[in-house]
Amino acid sequence: MFQEPLTLGIFTAIGCYILYDLVVALIANNRTDALIARANSAYDNNRYWECVRCLQKVVRREPGNALQNFRLGWAYHMLGFQDDALEHLRTAAELDSKYIDARVVLAEWHYERQDYWRSLLYARQAIELDKHQYDARLTLGKCCVA
Protein backbone atom coordinates (compact mmCIF):
# COMPACT_ATOMS: atom_id res chain seq x y z
CA MET A 1 0.00 0.00 0.00
CA PHE A 2 2.77 2.48 0.91
CA GLN A 3 4.89 1.44 -2.04
CA GLU A 4 2.91 3.50 -4.53
CA PRO A 5 4.33 7.02 -4.86
CA LEU A 6 0.89 8.68 -4.96
CA THR A 7 -0.30 7.03 -1.75
CA LEU A 8 3.00 7.76 -0.03
CA GLY A 9 2.79 11.40 -1.16
CA ILE A 10 -0.78 11.80 0.13
CA PHE A 11 0.09 10.35 3.55
CA THR A 12 3.21 12.51 3.76
CA ALA A 13 1.19 15.64 2.91
CA ILE A 14 -1.44 14.81 5.52
CA GLY A 15 1.25 14.14 8.12
CA CYS A 16 2.97 17.46 7.33
CA TYR A 17 -0.33 19.32 7.56
CA ILE A 18 -1.14 17.80 10.96
CA LEU A 19 2.36 18.56 12.25
CA TYR A 20 2.16 22.15 10.96
CA ASP A 21 -1.24 22.63 12.63
CA LEU A 22 0.08 21.33 15.96
CA VAL A 23 3.15 23.56 15.85
CA VAL A 24 1.09 26.67 15.02
CA ALA A 25 -1.35 25.90 17.85
CA LEU A 26 1.51 25.42 20.29
CA ILE A 27 3.16 28.70 19.30
CA ALA A 28 -0.13 30.60 19.53
CA ASN A 29 -0.85 29.19 23.00
CA ASN A 30 2.64 30.04 24.20
CA ARG A 31 2.26 33.60 22.95
CA THR A 32 -1.09 33.96 24.69
CA ASP A 33 0.30 32.57 27.94
CA ALA A 34 3.27 34.93 27.69
CA LEU A 35 0.95 37.89 27.08
CA ILE A 36 -1.15 36.96 30.12
CA ALA A 37 1.96 36.65 32.28
CA ARG A 38 3.21 40.02 31.03
CA ALA A 39 -0.19 41.61 31.71
CA ASN A 40 -0.24 40.21 35.26
CA SER A 41 3.27 41.49 35.92
CA ALA A 42 2.39 44.92 34.51
CA TYR A 43 -0.77 45.11 36.64
CA ASP A 44 1.12 44.12 39.80
CA ASN A 45 3.67 46.86 39.12
CA ASN A 46 1.04 49.55 38.39
CA ARG A 47 1.86 49.70 34.67
CA TYR A 48 -1.77 49.67 33.59
CA TRP A 49 -1.20 50.86 30.00
CA GLU A 50 1.06 47.89 29.33
CA CYS A 51 -1.46 45.62 31.00
CA VAL A 52 -4.26 46.97 28.78
CA ARG A 53 -2.20 46.51 25.61
CA CYS A 54 -1.39 42.90 26.47
CA LEU A 55 -4.94 42.04 27.49
CA GLN A 56 -6.39 43.66 24.37
CA LYS A 57 -4.33 41.24 22.29
CA VAL A 58 -5.46 38.30 24.43
CA VAL A 59 -9.12 39.32 24.18
CA ARG A 60 -8.81 39.70 20.40
CA ARG A 61 -7.39 36.17 20.20
CA GLU A 62 -9.88 34.72 22.68
CA PRO A 63 -13.03 36.87 22.61
CA GLY A 64 -14.95 34.26 24.60
CA ASN A 65 -12.60 34.39 27.59
CA ALA A 66 -14.60 35.89 30.45
CA LEU A 67 -11.68 36.10 32.88
CA GLN A 68 -9.48 38.10 30.51
CA ASN A 69 -12.38 40.44 29.68
CA PHE A 70 -12.85 40.98 33.42
CA ARG A 71 -9.16 41.71 33.90
CA LEU A 72 -9.12 44.10 30.95
CA GLY A 73 -12.13 45.91 32.39
CA TRP A 74 -10.39 46.22 35.74
CA ALA A 75 -7.23 47.61 34.10
CA TYR A 76 -9.34 50.19 32.23
CA HIS A 77 -10.96 51.09 35.54
CA MET A 78 -7.54 51.70 37.11
CA LEU A 79 -6.72 54.05 34.22
CA GLY A 80 -9.99 55.94 34.69
CA PHE A 81 -11.74 54.76 31.51
CA GLN A 82 -15.01 53.81 33.18
CA ASP A 83 -17.07 53.25 30.02
CA ASP A 84 -14.52 50.83 28.59
CA ALA A 85 -14.27 49.13 31.96
CA LEU A 86 -18.04 48.64 32.17
CA GLU A 87 -18.17 47.32 28.62
CA HIS A 88 -15.60 44.60 29.31
CA LEU A 89 -17.13 43.65 32.65
CA ARG A 90 -20.55 43.34 31.02
CA THR A 91 -18.98 41.16 28.35
CA ALA A 92 -17.42 38.97 31.04
CA ALA A 93 -20.77 38.65 32.81
CA GLU A 94 -22.52 37.75 29.54
CA LEU A 95 -19.88 35.18 28.58
CA ASP A 96 -20.03 33.31 31.88
CA SER A 97 -23.45 33.05 33.46
CA LYS A 98 -21.91 31.96 36.79
CA TYR A 99 -19.22 34.64 37.05
CA ILE A 100 -20.09 36.13 40.44
CA ASP A 101 -17.17 38.57 40.69
CA ALA A 102 -18.12 40.34 37.47
CA ARG A 103 -21.67 40.81 38.71
CA VAL A 104 -20.59 42.08 42.13
CA VAL A 105 -18.21 44.63 40.61
CA LEU A 106 -20.82 45.72 38.06
CA ALA A 107 -23.34 46.21 40.87
CA GLU A 108 -20.92 48.38 42.82
CA TRP A 109 -19.85 50.45 39.80
CA HIS A 110 -23.44 51.05 38.69
CA TYR A 111 -24.29 52.10 42.24
CA GLU A 112 -21.43 54.61 42.16
CA ARG A 113 -22.81 55.96 38.87
CA GLN A 114 -26.25 56.26 40.53
CA ASP A 115 -27.72 53.74 38.10
CA TYR A 116 -29.58 51.95 40.87
CA TRP A 117 -31.75 49.68 38.75
CA ARG A 118 -28.77 48.08 36.99
CA SER A 119 -26.92 47.90 40.26
CA LEU A 120 -29.90 46.13 41.80
CA LEU A 121 -30.07 43.72 38.86
CA TYR A 122 -26.41 42.68 39.07
CA ALA A 123 -26.48 42.44 42.85
CA ARG A 124 -29.52 40.13 42.73
CA GLN A 125 -27.85 37.97 40.08
CA ALA A 126 -24.76 37.63 42.26
CA ILE A 127 -26.88 36.71 45.28
CA GLU A 128 -28.77 34.10 43.26
CA LEU A 129 -25.43 32.51 42.38
CA ASP A 130 -24.11 32.68 45.97
CA LYS A 131 -26.57 33.46 48.73
CA HIS A 132 -23.70 34.29 51.11
CA GLN A 133 -22.21 36.99 48.85
CA TYR A 134 -21.71 39.78 51.37
CA ASP A 135 -20.66 42.54 48.95
CA ALA A 136 -23.67 41.96 46.70
CA ARG A 137 -26.02 42.00 49.69
CA LEU A 138 -24.48 45.26 50.88
CA THR A 139 -24.89 46.84 47.44
CA LEU A 140 -28.45 45.54 47.22
CA GLY A 141 -29.24 47.18 50.55
CA LYS A 142 -27.70 50.48 49.46
CA CYS A 143 -29.78 50.37 46.28
CA CYS A 144 -32.96 49.80 48.21
CA VAL A 145 -32.20 52.81 50.41
CA ALA A 146 -31.29 54.97 47.42
Side-chain angles (χ1 to χ4, degrees):
M1 177 176 164
F2 291 109
Q3 294 174 352
E4 294 181 29
L6 182 61
T7 307
L8 185 62
I10 290 172
F11 280 118
T12 303
I14 291 172
C16 289
Y17 178 75
I18 291 171
L19 182 64
Y20 171 78
D21 199 36
L22 289 172
V23 168
V24 168
L26 180 65
I27 290 171
N29 285 341
N30 285 342
R31 285 186 185 158
T32 302
D33 292 344
L35 279 171
I36 291 170
R38 216 168 114 204
N40 290 340
S41 173
Y43 185 87
D44 292 341
N45 293 307
N46 300 327
R47 296 189 319 260
Y48 301 117
W49 280 112
E50 181 182 347
C51 179
V52 164
R53 283 193 303 270
C54 292
L55 288 175
Q56 283 174 336
K57 292 176 186 175
V58 171
V59 167
R60 264 188 251 123
R61 288 181 187 172
E62 302 175 3
N65 190 327
L67 176 62
Q68 300 310 326
N69 271 290
F70 178 83
R71 289 180 175 174
L72 180 57
W74 197 258
Y76 273 127
H77 175 71
M78 296 305 288
L79 288 170
F81 295 105
Q82 303 308 326
D83 293 334
D84 293 328
L86 282 171
E87 175 188 335
H88 285 284
L89 257 66
R90 284 186 194 128
T91 301
E94 290 169 8
L95 289 172
D96 187 354
S97 62
K98 297 186 187 278
Y99 200 173
I100 296 172
D101 293 338
R103 284 167 174 72
V104 170
V105 173
L106 280 167
E108 291 174 9
W109 287 359
H110 280 294
Y111 178 79
E112 290 171 2
R113 292 178 138 216
Q114 298 179 348
D115 186 355
Y116 302 120
W117 288 109
R118 283 194 184 155
S119 179
L120 188 79
L121 170 76
Y122 285 117
R124 291 183 109 186
Q125 288 176 356
I127 292 168
E128 286 176 11
L129 292 170
D130 179 10
K131 65 181 179 178
H132 301 293
Q133 180 49 257
Y134 172 77
D135 292 331
R137 288 186 175 278
L138 182 64
T139 304
L140 182 67
K142 291 189 300 188
C143 287
C144 290
V145 170

PDB file of all heavy atoms in Angstrom, residues 56-70:
ATOM      1  N   GLN A  56      -5.644  43.430  25.602  1.00  0.00           N
ATOM      2  CA  GLN A  56      -6.389  43.664  24.365  1.00  0.00           C
ATOM      3  C   GLN A  56      -6.037  42.605  23.323  1.00  0.00           C
ATOM      4  O   GLN A  56      -6.906  42.103  22.614  1.00  0.00           O
ATOM      5  CB  GLN A  56      -6.088  45.057  23.809  1.00  0.00           C
ATOM      6  CG  GLN A  56      -6.786  46.174  24.528  1.00  0.00           C
ATOM      7  CD  GLN A  56      -6.336  47.533  24.030  1.00  0.00           C
ATOM      8  OE1 GLN A  56      -5.245  47.698  23.494  1.00  0.00           O
ATOM      9  NE2 GLN A  56      -7.190  48.533  24.235  1.00  0.00           N
ATOM     10  N   LYS A  57      -4.757  42.276  23.236  1.00  0.00           N
ATOM     11  CA  LYS A  57      -4.331  41.241  22.291  1.00  0.00           C
ATOM     12  C   LYS A  57      -4.916  39.891  22.673  1.00  0.00           C
ATOM     13  O   LYS A  57      -5.374  39.134  21.817  1.00  0.00           O
ATOM     14  CB  LYS A  57      -2.810  41.155  22.244  1.00  0.00           C
ATOM     15  CG  LYS A  57      -2.152  42.362  21.631  1.00  0.00           C
ATOM     16  CD  LYS A  57      -0.637  42.267  21.704  1.00  0.00           C
ATOM     17  CE  LYS A  57       0.014  43.546  21.209  1.00  0.00           C
ATOM     18  NZ  LYS A  57       1.484  43.513  21.385  1.00  0.00           N
ATOM     19  N   VAL A  58      -4.917  39.584  23.966  1.00  0.00           N
ATOM     20  CA  VAL A  58      -5.457  38.304  24.430  1.00  0.00           C
ATOM     21  C   VAL A  58      -6.951  38.224  24.133  1.00  0.00           C
ATOM     22  O   VAL A  58      -7.441  37.203  23.636  1.00  0.00           O
ATOM     23  CB  VAL A  58      -5.189  38.109  25.940  1.00  0.00           C
ATOM     24  CG1 VAL A  58      -5.920  36.898  26.467  1.00  0.00           C
ATOM     25  CG2 VAL A  58      -3.698  37.981  26.204  1.00  0.00           C
ATOM     26  N   VAL A  59      -7.671  39.305  24.406  1.00  0.00           N
ATOM     27  CA  VAL A  59      -9.123  39.316  24.184  1.00  0.00           C
ATOM     28  C   VAL A  59      -9.443  39.222  22.689  1.00  0.00           C
ATOM     29  O   VAL A  59     -10.418  38.594  22.298  1.00  0.00           O
ATOM     30  CB  VAL A  59      -9.768  40.554  24.843  1.00  0.00           C
ATOM     31  CG1 VAL A  59     -11.185  40.764  24.389  1.00  0.00           C
ATOM     32  CG2 VAL A  59      -9.708  40.415  26.360  1.00  0.00           C
ATOM     33  N   ARG A  60      -8.600  39.843  21.843  1.00  0.00           N
ATOM     34  CA  ARG A  60      -8.812  39.699  20.400  1.00  0.00           C
ATOM     35  C   ARG A  60      -8.615  38.252  19.963  1.00  0.00           C
ATOM     36  O   ARG A  60      -9.327  37.765  19.104  1.00  0.00           O
ATOM     37  CB  ARG A  60      -7.851  40.604  19.622  1.00  0.00           C
ATOM     38  CG  ARG A  60      -8.489  41.920  19.256  1.00  0.00           C
ATOM     39  CD  ARG A  60      -7.602  42.728  18.333  1.00  0.00           C
ATOM     40  NE  ARG A  60      -7.104  43.853  19.118  1.00  0.00           N
ATOM     41  CZ  ARG A  60      -5.828  44.150  19.322  1.00  0.00           C
ATOM     42  NH1 ARG A  60      -4.882  43.450  18.784  1.00  0.00           N
ATOM     43  NH2 ARG A  60      -5.498  45.181  20.050  1.00  0.00           N
ATOM     44  N   ARG A  61      -7.642  37.577  20.545  1.00  0.00           N
ATOM     45  CA  ARG A  61      -7.388  36.172  20.197  1.00  0.00           C
ATOM     46  C   ARG A  61      -8.454  35.249  20.773  1.00  0.00           C
ATOM     47  O   ARG A  61      -8.817  34.251  20.164  1.00  0.00           O
ATOM     48  CB  ARG A  61      -6.028  35.722  20.732  1.00  0.00           C
ATOM     49  CG  ARG A  61      -4.881  36.300  19.991  1.00  0.00           C
ATOM     50  CD  ARG A  61      -3.589  35.808  20.557  1.00  0.00           C
ATOM     51  NE  ARG A  61      -2.480  36.502  19.933  1.00  0.00           N
ATOM     52  CZ  ARG A  61      -1.237  36.408  20.322  1.00  0.00           C
ATOM     53  NH1 ARG A  61      -0.928  35.636  21.346  1.00  0.00           N
ATOM     54  NH2 ARG A  61      -0.293  37.070  19.701  1.00  0.00           N
ATOM     55  N   GLU A  62      -8.896  35.551  21.979  1.00  0.00           N
ATOM     56  CA  GLU A  62      -9.876  34.716  22.678  1.00  0.00           C
ATOM     57  C   GLU A  62     -11.058  35.574  23.135  1.00  0.00           C
ATOM     58  O   GLU A  62     -11.179  35.881  24.321  1.00  0.00           O
ATOM     59  CB  GLU A  62      -9.228  34.045  23.892  1.00  0.00           C
ATOM     60  CG  GLU A  62      -8.037  33.189  23.576  1.00  0.00           C
ATOM     61  CD  GLU A  62      -7.363  32.651  24.834  1.00  0.00           C
ATOM     62  OE1 GLU A  62      -7.860  32.898  25.951  1.00  0.00           O
ATOM     63  OE2 GLU A  62      -6.335  31.986  24.683  1.00  0.00           O
ATOM     64  N   PRO A  63     -11.931  35.970  22.224  1.00  0.00           N
ATOM     65  CA  PRO A  63     -13.027  36.869  22.608  1.00  0.00           C
ATOM     66  C   PRO A  63     -14.017  36.235  23.591  1.00  0.00           C
ATOM     67  O   PRO A  63     -14.752  36.944  24.262  1.00  0.00           O
ATOM     68  CB  PRO A  63     -13.699  37.206  21.280  1.00  0.00           C
ATOM     69  CG  PRO A  63     -13.263  36.161  20.330  1.00  0.00           C
ATOM     70  CD  PRO A  63     -11.944  35.646  20.805  1.00  0.00           C
ATOM     71  N   GLY A  64     -14.026  34.931  23.696  1.00  0.00           N
ATOM     72  CA  GLY A  64     -14.950  34.264  24.598  1.00  0.00           C
ATOM     73  C   GLY A  64     -14.382  34.012  25.978  1.00  0.00           C
ATOM     74  O   GLY A  64     -14.981  33.301  26.783  1.00  0.00           O
ATOM     75  N   ASN A  65     -13.251  34.608  26.303  1.00  0.00           N
ATOM     76  CA  ASN A  65     -12.605  34.388  27.586  1.00  0.00           C
ATOM     77  C   ASN A  65     -13.113  35.418  28.597  1.00  0.00           C
ATOM     78  O   ASN A  65     -12.713  36.581  28.575  1.00  0.00           O
ATOM     79  CB  ASN A  65     -11.081  34.480  27.417  1.00  0.00           C
ATOM     80  CG  ASN A  65     -10.328  34.021  28.634  1.00  0.00           C
ATOM     81  OD1 ASN A  65     -10.789  34.184  29.756  1.00  0.00           O
ATOM     82  ND2 ASN A  65      -9.161  33.453  28.407  1.00  0.00           N
ATOM     83  N   ALA A  66     -13.973  34.989  29.487  1.00  0.00           N
ATOM     84  CA  ALA A  66     -14.601  35.891  30.450  1.00  0.00           C
ATOM     85  C   ALA A  66     -13.581  36.462  31.432  1.00  0.00           C
ATOM     86  O   ALA A  66     -13.628  37.651  31.758  1.00  0.00           O
ATOM     87  CB  ALA A  66     -15.707  35.163  31.200  1.00  0.00           C
ATOM     88  N   LEU A  67     -12.660  35.638  31.895  1.00  0.00           N
ATOM     89  CA  LEU A  67     -11.679  36.101  32.879  1.00  0.00           C
ATOM     90  C   LEU A  67     -10.803  37.222  32.322  1.00  0.00           C
ATOM     91  O   LEU A  67     -10.584  38.234  32.985  1.00  0.00           O
ATOM     92  CB  LEU A  67     -10.798  34.935  33.340  1.00  0.00           C
ATOM     93  CG  LEU A  67      -9.665  35.296  34.296  1.00  0.00           C
ATOM     94  CD1 LEU A  67     -10.218  35.872  35.587  1.00  0.00           C
ATOM     95  CD2 LEU A  67      -8.798  34.077  34.571  1.00  0.00           C
ATOM     96  N   GLN A  68     -10.343  37.077  31.089  1.00  0.00           N
ATOM     97  CA  GLN A  68      -9.478  38.104  30.508  1.00  0.00           C
ATOM     98  C   GLN A  68     -10.265  39.380  30.201  1.00  0.00           C
ATOM     99  O   GLN A  68      -9.728  40.479  30.304  1.00  0.00           O
ATOM    100  CB  GLN A  68      -8.772  37.574  29.262  1.00  0.00           C
ATOM    101  CG  GLN A  68      -7.897  36.369  29.530  1.00  0.00           C
ATOM    102  CD  GLN A  68      -6.934  36.529  30.696  1.00  0.00           C
ATOM    103  OE1 GLN A  68      -6.423  37.612  30.949  1.00  0.00           O
ATOM    104  NE2 GLN A  68      -6.693  35.455  31.414  1.00  0.00           N
ATOM    105  N   ASN A  69     -11.541  39.256  29.840  1.00  0.00           N
ATOM    106  CA  ASN A  69     -12.384  40.441  29.679  1.00  0.00           C
ATOM    107  C   ASN A  69     -12.547  41.163  31.009  1.00  0.00           C
ATOM    108  O   ASN A  69     -12.512  42.394  31.070  1.00  0.00           O
ATOM    109  CB  ASN A  69     -13.753  40.062  29.105  1.00  0.00           C
ATOM    110  CG  ASN A  69     -13.766  40.065  27.607  1.00  0.00           C
ATOM    111  OD1 ASN A  69     -13.693  41.103  26.980  1.00  0.00           O
ATOM    112  ND2 ASN A  69     -13.832  38.883  27.012  1.00  0.00           N
ATOM    113  N   PHE A  70     -12.731  40.400  32.082  1.00  0.00           N
ATOM    114  CA  PHE A  70     -12.852  40.981  33.419  1.00  0.00           C
ATOM    115  C   PHE A  70     -11.574  41.729  33.789  1.00  0.00           C
ATOM    116  O   PHE A  70     -11.614  42.868  34.254  1.00  0.00           O
ATOM    117  CB  PHE A  70     -13.143  39.877  34.439  1.00  0.00           C
ATOM    118  CG  PHE A  70     -13.247  40.365  35.851  1.00  0.00           C
ATOM    119  CD1 PHE A  70     -14.423  40.906  36.320  1.00  0.00           C
ATOM    120  CD2 PHE A  70     -12.165  40.274  36.717  1.00  0.00           C
ATOM    121  CE1 PHE A  70     -14.527  41.355  37.633  1.00  0.00           C
ATOM    122  CE2 PHE A  70     -12.252  40.718  38.016  1.00  0.00           C
ATOM    123  CZ  PHE A  70     -13.435  41.260  38.482  1.00  0.00           C
TER     124      PHE A  70
END
